[in-house]
Amino acid sequence: ENTHQKTYEYLKLSRYDFRNYTEVRAGIHFMNLRSEGLVENVLQPYIDCAVNCTVCMAPQGSSKKPEKWRKFQQAPSMEYWAHRQDQSVLSLLAYQYRNLGGKILV
């Protein structure tokens, strides 16, 4: 819900496909690097996104301000004020990998 549209576009994903998912919690994540497709489908796209940070992980117009700040703001540009940057990207990639049959805890 809070993930910026530009992040979806960069990753060539549809916001609609992820409408029923919540963001993966930030913190410690355990991944078996020997899992088939994990590096190619999660880690490499995550690194690529970080390298192209201003168009993927932290696109212009995004912010990490908490949800509660939204109700006090009236400007239409506040739509992505709770975009979680690295957490948003990891969530999308992890769910996509799991949906492709990969094993990952989300």
Side-chain angles (χ1 to χ4, degrees):
E1 170 183 318
N2 297 318
T3 302
H4 198 283
Q5 182 60 35
K6 292 290 185 189
T7 300
Y8 285 100
E9 291 170 9
Y10 181 88
L11 296 172
K12 296 179 176 67
L13 299 173
S14 166
R15 176 182 293 274
Y16 180 81
D17 293 339
F18 294 88
R19 69 192 179 283
N20 295 322
Y21 296 99
T22 58
E23 290 176 338
V24 174
R25 290 181 176 224
I28 300 172
H29 298 280
F30 296 98
M31 297 180 195
N32 182 349
L33 297 178
R34 294 183 182 150
S35 295
E36 186 177 339
L38 180 79
V39 171
E40 297 84 7
N41 292 297
V42 179
L43 297 181
Q44 191 59 53
Y46 185 78
I47 292 167
D48 293 344
C49 189
V51 169
N52 295 298
C53 188
T54 59
V55 293
C56 179
M57 199 170 282
Q60 186 174 5
S62 68
S63 175
K64 290 170 68 171
K65 293 200 178 201
E67 181 77 27
K68 66 181 180 179
W69 284 59
R70 283 191 195 184
K71 66 181 179 180
F72 299 112
Q73 305 297 329
Q74 301 301 319
S77 63
M78 303 302 168
E79 181 178 3
Y80 301 110
W81 264 42
H83 174 77
R84 300 306 305 160
Q85 299 172 339
D86 57 327
Q87 184 178 339
S88 291
V89 173
L90 181 59
S91 297
L92 292 175
L93 295 172
Y95 282 125
Q96 179 186 35
Y97 177 68
R98 189 177 76 179
N99 290 344
L100 292 173
K103 294 181 180 173
I104 192 169
L105 299 174
V106 292

